[in-house]
Amino acid sequence: MYLLEVFLCSKITQAIAGKVIATHHLAAHHLNSEHLTCHRLASKDQKAVDLDHLNHYQDVVTYLYFSYVLLDPKPMLRALDFKKLRRQVNISAKSWNIIKEKHPLKTLIGQDRALQAFEFGIGNKSRGFNIYVSGYPGSGKRAAINHFLEEKAKGEISPGDWCYVNNFKEAYYPKKLGLQKGGALVFKNEIAKLIEEAQIALLKAFDSKEYANKRQEIFDEFQQKEISLFQDIYQKASSNNFAISRTPIEIRVIPIDDAGNPISDKTFRKLSKKKQEKIIQTRDMLMMEFNALLRQNRELDKERKEAVIQLENDVALYAIESLLEELKGKYKKNHEVIEHLEDVKNDIIENLGEFLKVSNHKNRITSAPTHRFLEYEINIITDNSDTRGAPIVMELNPTYNNLFGKVEHESDMGTLLTNFTLIRGGALHRANGGYLIIPLRELLLNYFAWDGLKRALQNNEVVIEDASERFGFLSTKSLKPDPIPLNVKIILLGSPRLYYLLYNWDEDFKELFKVKAEFDVSMDYSVANAMDFASVIFKIQNENNLLPLDHKAISHLVEQSCRIAKDQNKISIRFGELSDILHEAHHYAQLESRNQITSDEIAKTIEAKYYRSNLIQEKIIDLIDRNTLMIELEGSKIGQINGISVLDLGDFMFGHPNKITVNVASGKDGLIDIERESKLGGRLHTKGVLILSGYLGEKYGQNKIISLFASLVFEQSYSEIEGDSASSAELYAILSSLSQLPIKQWIAVSGSVNQKGEIQPVGAINEKIEGFFEVCRHRGFNGKQGVMIPKGNMDHLMLKHEVVQAVEEGKFHVWAISTIDEGIELLTGIPAGKRLKNGSFSKNSVHYLVDKRIEALNKILSKSSNEKK
């Protein structure tokens, strides 16, 4: 009986296929597939004929007959028109000339949000409102900031100067001096002139006859006092037959005879003992009195020296007071300068000898750094004499020393020595009163720089000290200069990722950088924006002395900017990348001896960059051509589909097909992701696979338990797989395996799916389409090949011209779908089916066949469980 039914169904299939083949090749394909299956079963022993399969076959035959012959089904999903695969831009020659001649040149376009935030940050002088400029490389943020600051800083007041001077009381702590703009250099010259004039005046004063006479008067006066002091003791000694002898090393009281000659020891011994004792007693008395007089004489010497010093001080003060009074009058409002001038005056007076030793003062100033006159030097830290408006400083190498300055040392006989003239300022000193721009990544890479910057902003002062000393490491003895008050606006340049990392993990960051200016990488496509874009390109051309572009070249460049933005409705404003294209096109135009850049040079530039980077892609395509990587582009397969993976090499990203297979059997293990089990699946890929279980449960598990075993794998994939963009392809393979409906292998699939069966947009859609296109081109087009993408990705299509041309010629196709039902219909040629009121699905649809297969698997599992019991 079974054989007879198979035979009859086979004949019916042939009859239906004969009718349908003239109107619908796809229906005929499925009918013939079922006919071959039943014919194969009929050729075997009748016991091998499976009743479930026979019933399934009969249902398919009946459904196909009604669907394709009697009901005139809806047409298959149409591929996208080639015009939707790429935005076509056509700027006329006239419009291009108008842009070049009349359109206002803009430094930055498409960054209104960032510029508004930046303007607020610059205008807000409150504490903590420093600016973090967030953006990706090539967004033009650095050029925009420079231009904006230059305009803003012109209208601001220039800050004053800062310098360090010697601390005459404690040289270890140099003092700071704040002066008005340009005042540091003036003050340095004034002090140098003061020292020179002071020496001349002092030399003249101390060489004068008046000074010599007054000095001699002092010496004469004290000499007379000394004579008067010792006159009595000398007379008393003479009257007692003694003589007093004074030498630099000793004082002697010597007895003499009546002739005035000293008594020798021999004569002294011949005297009676009584006379000897009297002589000794008289000598001791005279010696005691003379010593007392010597003490008085020392007081006289001290008074004489003090009188001489006072005379010298009076002469010196008189000589330099007029010089100092002029400077004091000029700087009377600057108490620090007045105090320093007093210290200079006092030090000059205290060290007059240094000024009077050498007559050539110029030699002293230019002598070795260890010379004592160095103490009067002015060490300029910031000189804003040539600054117009507020200073703008960009520190591209923000090391600790480059930011905060340092104290240098010099080697002298193997010993490191330093002094206040070796203090060097940093970027914070130069930017004080203005703006300091720092790239954040470089700042974080330099030890101590980030912590030091935060401390400076928190304390509003710049401290120059050795980093090792700050953190308690051993270091050579150094100086401790006075901190300089800090008033600066810090502008950090960094990526969004670094911003969020610091915001979440550094509690000081959010308090110190309260303004975020985020630069975009694209802007909306509009006629006005396209004109602004073209004007910026014209500006880049002029600034870099490039050959002029014709209207077709600028049109091509606008199209390329849309491709860079990965969106038909966006224009990329990453002008760094676009500038590179212009420079390379300029090079090719020069090689061809052209006088302008045409669309051909732009196209050649893009292709050349692609060729320089796609070696790996060509290697993979070669492996596919040689069937080392087994990718099928012909025929239909059950439980097998071509997904598309993307390989990102940094400078180049490309797509290539991956064979995805599914096997289904009876069991309770559910959906097994071999990639996850082998630890080759990333978290996002695992999420995508788990969503498939949710879809299957919601679709087919409303009135029954789903008991099955399904293994899912990316064939010949030996590295980690990440992302969920292949989840729809995986679901199609599962549905194919369950329904036993073959999937067209000439269609590659990309798109993620949610639990409701909706197809979601994915990234790198252009690279994926072009990757499969390259494989098909190498294998040879058959007129049916193409890629199925999410409908949400249609605006992201900016495919290469060659792909668009192949679609226009019918060699290649792109389909856009929004649901799994649309996709499975395209892949199998069978309607997806609708859920009926009774919970089942429309007869012989994909969902109907899947549902029946799940029921069959459940029965097998139930039967197996009963047999075990």
Side-chain angles (χ1 to χ4, degrees):
M1 179 179 177
Y2 291 150
L3 290 175
L4 177 60
E5 291 186 53
V6 169
F7 175 77
L8 292 175
C9 289
S10 176
K11 291 300 182 181
I12 294 172
T13 302
Q14 287 179 325
I16 294 174
K19 293 180 179 180
V20 174
I21 194 168
T23 57
H24 206 298
H25 296 283
L26 183 62
H29 168 77
H30 287 288
L31 287 168
N32 284 324
S33 297
E34 293 295 336
H35 163 68
L36 292 174
T37 302
C38 289
H39 180 76
R40 184 173 66 253
L41 291 173
S43 65
K44 297 182 179 180
D45 182 71
Q46 72 175 30
K47 293 182 179 180
V49 178
D50 181 58
L51 180 60
D52 287 336
H53 185 84
L54 182 60
N55 292 334
H56 163 72
Y57 168 74
Q58 290 173 329
D59 290 338
V60 171
V61 169
T62 304
Y63 178 76
L64 290 174
Y65 177 78
F66 280 96
S67 297
Y68 291 110
V69 179
L70 299 180
L71 300 180
D72 189 19
K74 62 180 180 181
M76 297 293 292
L77 183 70
R78 296 186 61 182
L80 295 177
D81 186 80
F82 73 94
K83 294 179 181 179
K84 295 183 178 181
L85 304 182
R86 181 183 178 92
R87 174 177 285 279
Q88 301 292 330
V89 179
N90 185 16
I91 298 177
S92 66
K94 181 179 179 181
S95 299
W96 180 223
N97 289 332
I98 293 175
I99 292 172
K100 292 189 291 185
E101 295 173 3
K102 299 181 180 180
H103 195 75
L105 296 179
K106 298 181 180 180
T107 302
L108 194 68
I109 59 175
Q111 303 291 3
D112 294 339
R113 182 195 305 272
L115 291 180
Q116 185 177 359
F118 194 74
E119 186 171 3
F120 163 73
I122 293 299
N124 193 331
K125 302 300 182 182
S126 300
R127 183 175 180 178
F129 283 84
N130 297 293
I131 306 171
Y132 186 98
V133 180
S134 174
Y136 293 97
S139 58
K141 57 183 181 294
R142 183 177 299 179
I145 290 169
N146 281 333
H147 176 77
F148 188 89
L149 286 181
E150 286 173 2
E151 295 298 321
K152 184 71 174 177
K154 287 179 182 178
E156 298 186 10
I157 300 174
S158 298
D161 299 341
W162 289 98
C163 56
Y164 277 110
V165 296
N166 183 40
N167 186 342
F168 293 98
K169 298 175 182 177
E170 180 54 69
Y172 189 64
Y173 299 97
K175 292 183 177 181
K176 67 178 184 298
L177 291 182
L179 299 162
Q180 63 183 2
K181 173 187 173 182
L185 185 59
V186 172
F187 188 63
K188 179 183 178 70
N189 295 331
E190 288 173 341
I191 290 296
K193 184 178 180 181
L194 170 67
I195 300 302
E196 182 177 359
E197 291 180 349
Q199 187 193 23
I200 294 173
L202 290 171
L203 288 172
K204 183 177 180 180
F206 285 98
D207 286 340
S208 66
K209 184 176 181 181
E210 290 80 2
Y211 168 73
N213 290 338
K214 286 185 176 292
R215 180 183 176 87
Q216 189 60 44
E217 287 177 3
I218 293 174
F219 277 95
D220 290 345
E221 178 184 353
F222 279 92
Q223 185 178 8
Q224 199 60 38
K225 289 181 179 181
E226 182 179 357
I227 293 172
S228 298
L229 181 64
F230 288 100
Q231 184 176 5
D232 292 340
I233 191 66
Y234 281 116
Q235 289 178 355
K236 187 175 182 179
S238 178
S239 62
N240 288 284
N241 292 325
F242 276 89
I244 298 175
S245 173
R246 291 176 62 186
T247 68
I249 61 174
E250 64 177 348
I251 299 173
R252 295 175 63 189
V253 179
I254 305 169
I256 58 176
D257 55 19
D258 295 337
N261 296 319
I263 298 175
S264 64
D265 291 340
K266 184 178 180 180
T267 305
F268 179 78
R269 285 193 294 269
K270 291 180 179 181
L271 296 175
S272 64
K273 189 172 183 180
K274 186 177 180 179
K275 286 185 176 182
Q276 289 179 359
E277 290 176 356
K278 184 179 180 181
I279 291 172
I280 292 172
Q281 185 179 5
T282 303
R283 185 196 64 183
D284 292 343
M285 181 193 64
L286 292 172
M287 192 69 177
M288 187 185 319
E289 292 180 7
F290 195 83
N291 285 333
L293 292 174
L294 283 177
R295 286 192 292 272
Q296 295 181 35
N297 188 54
R298 281 195 290 272
E299 291 296 325
L300 287 176
D301 284 340
K302 184 177 180 181
E303 292 178 11
R304 176 180 58 79
K305 290 179 180 178
E306 289 176 353
V308 172
I309 290 174
Q310 185 61 45
L311 173 63
E312 291 177 347
N313 289 347
D314 292 342
V315 172
L317 185 60
Y318 177 80
I320 65 175
E321 188 67 36
S322 59
L323 302 176
L324 287 169
E325 285 302 320
E326 183 179 353
L327 289 179
K328 287 181 179 180
K330 180 179 179 180
Y331 296 102
K332 61 183 178 181
K333 295 183 179 180
N334 193 325
H335 301 293
E336 292 179 341
V337 173
I338 296 297
E339 182 180 346
H340 177 65
L341 291 175
E342 284 293 324
D343 291 340
V344 169
K345 180 189 73 173
N346 295 333
D347 191 75
I348 290 175
I349 293 174
E350 290 174 6
N351 299 278
L352 286 173
E354 297 292 333
F355 285 82
L356 303 176
K357 285 180 181 178
V358 182
S359 61
N360 188 355
H361 176 63
K362 292 182 180 180
N363 290 338
R364 296 181 185 214
I365 297 299
T366 59
S367 60
T370 55
H371 197 279
R372 206 191 170 287
F373 275 18
L374 197 67
E375 296 183 2
Y376 306 114
E377 285 284 339
I378 304 297
N379 182 11
I380 299 176
I381 300 300
T382 58
D383 178 15
N384 290 308
S385 56
D386 296 328
T387 303
R388 300 292 178 266
I392 303 171
V393 177
M394 179 176 289
E395 182 54 67
L396 299 179
N397 183 27
T399 64
Y400 184 85
N401 288 340
N402 286 350
L403 283 177
F404 304 100
K406 58 184 176 180
V407 179
E408 295 179 343
H409 293 74
E410 292 181 340
S411 178
D412 183 16
M413 303 294 291
T415 302
L416 292 178
L417 302 177
T418 188
N419 57 72
F420 77 97
T421 64
L422 297 178
I423 300 173
R424 302 290 179 258
L428 281 170
H429 296 90
R430 299 194 303 274
N432 204 0
Y435 307 93
L436 177 58
I437 305 170
I438 308 173
L440 177 61
R441 181 177 178 274
E442 285 72 14
L443 179 68
L444 297 177
L445 288 175
N446 285 287
Y447 294 113
F448 315 130
W450 173 242
D451 286 335
L453 180 62
K454 290 192 298 181
R455 187 175 291 107
L457 293 176
Q458 289 166 343
N459 299 330
N460 289 327
E461 63 181 18
V462 189
V463 179
I464 301 178
E465 63 179 344
D466 190 86
S468 59
E469 187 172 309
R470 163 173 284 186
F471 292 93
F473 301 145
L474 294 176
S475 65
T476 57
K477 185 176 181 180
S478 188
L479 305 178
K480 293 284 187 181
D482 277 348
I484 291 179
L486 181 64
N487 177 27
V488 67
K489 182 74 70 173
I490 302 295
I491 302 167
L492 294 181
L493 306 180
S495 66
R497 179 173 177 269
L498 288 177
Y499 174 84
Y500 292 117
L501 283 174
L502 287 175
Y503 193 90
N504 291 318
W505 294 100
D506 191 325
E507 60 183 12
D508 298 323
F509 177 75
K510 63 185 71 175
E511 297 298 326
L512 296 175
F513 293 88
K514 297 180 179 180
V515 180
K516 177 186 179 184
E518 191 163 15
F519 276 64
D520 202 351
V521 295
S522 64
M523 63 181 179
D524 293 337
Y525 185 95
S526 66
V527 175
N529 284 345
M531 292 182 68
D532 287 342
F533 174 89
S535 69
V536 174
I537 295 299
F538 180 61
K539 182 175 183 291
I540 294 174
Q541 168 198 309
N542 290 336
E543 289 178 348
N544 295 276
N545 296 319
L546 303 177
L547 290 174
L549 284 77
D550 66 8
H551 67 284
K552 292 184 178 179
I554 191 63
S555 299
H556 198 152
L557 204 58
V558 174
E559 291 181 12
Q560 182 62 20
S561 73
C562 293
R563 178 176 170 85
I564 295 173
K566 302 180 185 301
D567 197 318
Q568 293 184 9
N569 300 318
K570 298 289 182 180
I571 299 177
S572 173
I573 48 180
R574 298 178 69 167
F575 288 106
E577 187 171 346
L578 295 167
S579 178
D580 293 340
I581 294 175
L582 280 179
H583 280 81
E584 189 169 344
H586 169 82
H587 169 73
Y588 292 130
Q590 284 187 322
L591 291 180
E592 297 294 332
S593 300
R594 297 181 184 271
N595 57 5
Q596 62 179 357
I597 298 173
T598 68
S599 179
D600 292 339
E601 280 74 47
I602 300 295
K604 186 175 182 179
T605 296
I606 296 170
E607 183 60 32
K609 186 177 185 301
Y610 180 83
Y611 178 76
R612 290 194 296 266
S613 303
N614 77 331
L615 177 61
I616 302 299
Q617 182 185 21
E618 290 188 354
K619 295 290 186 183
I620 292 176
I621 293 175
D622 181 63
L623 292 174
I624 294 174
D625 286 342
R626 295 160 59 185
N627 208 34
T628 303
L629 288 178
M630 300 169 64
I631 301 295
E632 298 185 40
L633 301 178
E634 299 286 348
S636 300
K637 295 281 186 177
I638 295 175
Q640 177 176 309
I641 194 170
N642 285 326
I644 307 177
S645 299
V646 172
L647 186 60
D648 190 351
L649 302 178
D651 66 327
F652 182 66
M653 180 188 296
F654 66 92
H656 63 90
N658 268 112
K659 180 190 292 187
I660 301 173
T661 62
V662 173
N663 284 339
V664 175
S666 176
K668 294 184 177 180
D669 294 331
L671 186 59
I672 302 299
D673 178 18
I674 295 179
E675 306 299 332
R676 180 180 61 183
E677 297 300 321
S678 61
K679 301 189 184 304
L680 288 178
R683 290 179 296 177
L684 296 181
H685 177 262
T686 299
K687 176 186 176 183
V689 174
L690 293 175
I691 287 174
L692 304 185
S693 297
Y695 172 85
L696 294 174
E698 194 274 340
K699 199 74 173 179
Y700 308 108
Q702 299 300 310
N703 53 9
K704 58 182 171 296
I705 297 175
I706 300 177
S707 298
L708 56 81
F709 168 84
S711 61
L712 173 70
V713 69
F714 279 68
E715 302 289 358
Q716 292 184 286
S717 175
Y718 307 106
S719 59
E720 182 175 325
I721 295 175
E722 183 58 293
D724 64 347
S725 62
S727 58
S728 65
E730 294 167 336
L731 182 54
Y732 295 135
I734 293 172
L735 296 178
S736 169
S737 184
L738 286 170
S739 67
Q740 290 296 292
L741 294 175
I743 288 177
K744 303 167 186 176
Q745 299 301 293
W746 59 82
I747 299 178
V749 176
S750 181
S752 68
V753 63
N754 61 26
Q755 293 189 114
K756 300 301 181 180
E758 297 171 325
I759 303 299
Q760 303 169 140
V762 294
I765 195 66
N766 293 302
E767 288 78 5
K768 291 175 180 178
I769 296 173
E770 291 165 358
F772 189 69
F773 172 83
E774 290 295 333
V775 173
C776 294
R777 182 170 65 173
H778 277 74
R779 282 280 190 90
F781 293 118
N782 61 13
K784 300 182 295 182
Q785 295 151 338
V787 178
M788 192 164 67
I789 67 170
K791 186 170 288 186
N793 278 126
M794 287 180 60
D795 286 343
H796 304 146
L797 294 177
M798 280 301 298
L799 297 173
K800 294 180 180 179
H801 287 288
E802 56 188 355
V803 180
V804 176
Q805 183 179 354
V807 172
E808 183 180 6
E809 296 173 354
K811 298 178 180 179
F812 195 75
H813 310 278
V814 178
W815 295 273
I817 63 170
S818 56
T819 64
I820 284 293
D821 288 355
E822 291 178 356
I824 198 65
E825 288 183 0
L826 178 64
L827 291 170
T828 62
I830 302 298
K834 295 182 179 179
R835 187 184 297 276
L836 303 177
K837 292 182 178 180
N838 61 4
S840 63
F841 296 91
S842 52
K843 274 280 188 176
N844 296 308
S845 64
V846 175
H847 294 315
Y848 174 81
L849 298 176
V850 171
D851 195 50
K852 290 297 182 182
R853 180 70 183 282
I854 292 174
E855 289 180 355
L857 293 173
N858 285 345
K859 290 179 182 179
I860 294 172
L861 182 62
S862 176
K863 182 180 179 181
S864 176
S865 299
N866 292 334
E867 289 177 353
K868 289 181 180 180
K869 292 180 181 179

